[in-house]
Amino acid sequence: MNREEFRPLGVAMTRLLARIRRLIEGRLIPDLLERPSAARGTIVDVIGEAWMSGALTGYMVHGAYLEAPASMPPSLARPLAEQALEHADWTAARIRETLADREATIAVVSLLARSSTEASAWMGHDTAARGVANMMEAGFKRWVRSWPRKEEREHSSLEGQVLPEPELFTLPSGARVYGPRDWDRYPESSEWINCGHALVYLREVTPADVLYNPPTQSAVYGRP
C-alpha cells in the first residue's frame, strides 16, 4: 500500500454509505415528510444504526490493520453503544427543532436527513478508529487518502504526514485539527466533505515516516 493511501477504508465506507442511503430513502425521509413532529423514534433508530455501523466498520478496517482481535471487546463495544444512543437522541432533537422552524419540504427534509445520517456514520467510524488505536497502543497517525481525488482542498498538502496520535495537524490556512474530520473544531461536514482523506494509525514508525516532505503544488494538482 502506498504510504500516503489507505484504500481499504474507502472501499468499506463506500459500501456502508450506499446501504445507509437506502435506509435514508426508504425509511427516514418518508417518515419525516409524513409526520415530522412525531418521527423521533425513526430518527433515533436510523441515526443510531448509522453511527454504530460506522463504528463497526471503523473497528473492522483499522483493527485488521493494527492486528486487533477480530471481535470488538466489550470494553470498547459498551461505550460505543452508549455514545451511539446519546448521539441519536441529540440528533433527533436537533432535526425536530430544525423542522419546527422551517417548512418540511422534500428538499429541506432530504438534505437534513442525508447530511445528519452520513455524518453520524463517519462520527461512529472516527470514534471507533481512535478507540482501537488506543487499545492497540498505536502511538502515531498518518494523514492519508482513501478515495481518488475529486476536489482539491487544502487538506491535500498534508497527505503522508505522520504525527504522534494526540498532536494536531496544521493546515495551510493555519487551522489546527486532529484529522480530516475534526468534530470539535469543524462540526459541519461542509469543511471536509469530498476531501477524500482519513487517518491511518501506526504502532511503529521509522525516521522516514516522521520526516515529512509536503507534496509540491504540481503533485497535489496532478500537473507535470
Side-chain angles (χ1 to χ4, degrees), residues 17-211:
L17 290 173
R19 181 168 64 81
I20 292 296
R21 288 177 191 127
R22 290 193 292 271
L23 192 61
I24 297 169
E25 298 288 342
R27 187 172 176 202
L28 183 54
I29 291 176
D31 263 25
L32 287 174
L33 287 171
E34 290 172 12
R35 49 194 188 102
S37 63
R40 182 185 178 279
T42 301
I43 301 170
V44 169
D45 286 349
V46 172
I47 295 295
E49 181 174 341
W51 199 101
M52 201 63 207
S53 294
L56 292 171
T57 300
Y59 183 87
M60 174 188 71
V61 176
H62 293 273
Y65 186 78
L66 294 170
E67 300 180 336
S71 298
M72 187 185 296
S75 60
L76 184 56
R78 278 193 297 267
L80 287 176
E82 291 170 1
Q83 289 178 74
L85 182 57
E86 181 180 339
H87 174 74
D89 282 335
W90 177 86
T91 303
R94 177 173 173 266
I95 289 176
R96 295 175 74 197
E97 195 174 286
T98 300
L99 292 179
D101 294 336
R102 302 180 63 180
E103 184 181 355
T105 64
I106 293 176
V108 168
V109 167
S110 296
L111 178 61
L112 188 58
R114 290 191 184 97
S115 61
S116 298
T117 310
E118 292 182 19
S120 298
W122 271 116
M123 188 177 289
H125 163 273
D126 292 345
T127 304
R130 193 170 186 180
V132 71
N134 290 336
M135 183 181 77
M136 298 304 295
E137 300 182 343
F140 293 85
K141 59 187 179 184
R142 176 182 284 136
W143 190 292
V144 294
R145 178 169 289 282
S146 287
W147 288 266
R149 284 189 177 90
K150 290 185 178 179
E151 296 180 15
E152 287 306 337
R153 307 285 289 274
E154 62 173 343
H155 289 188
S156 299
S157 64
L158 293 177
E159 289 176 21
Q161 183 172 2
V162 174
L163 289 180
E165 187 273 330
E167 292 189 9
L168 301 179
F169 294 93
T170 302
L171 295 169
S173 64
R176 305 194 71 216
V177 295
Y178 177 81
R181 291 168 300 282
D182 192 319
W183 302 102
D184 293 328
R185 295 165 184 82
Y186 290 122
E188 298 300 327
S189 61
S190 60
E191 293 292 338
W192 51 260
I193 199 76
N194 293 329
C195 78
H197 293 106
L199 293 176
V200 61
Y201 292 92
L202 308 169
R203 298 177 70 181
E204 298 178 357
V205 296
T206 66
D209 288 321
V210 180
L211 182 61

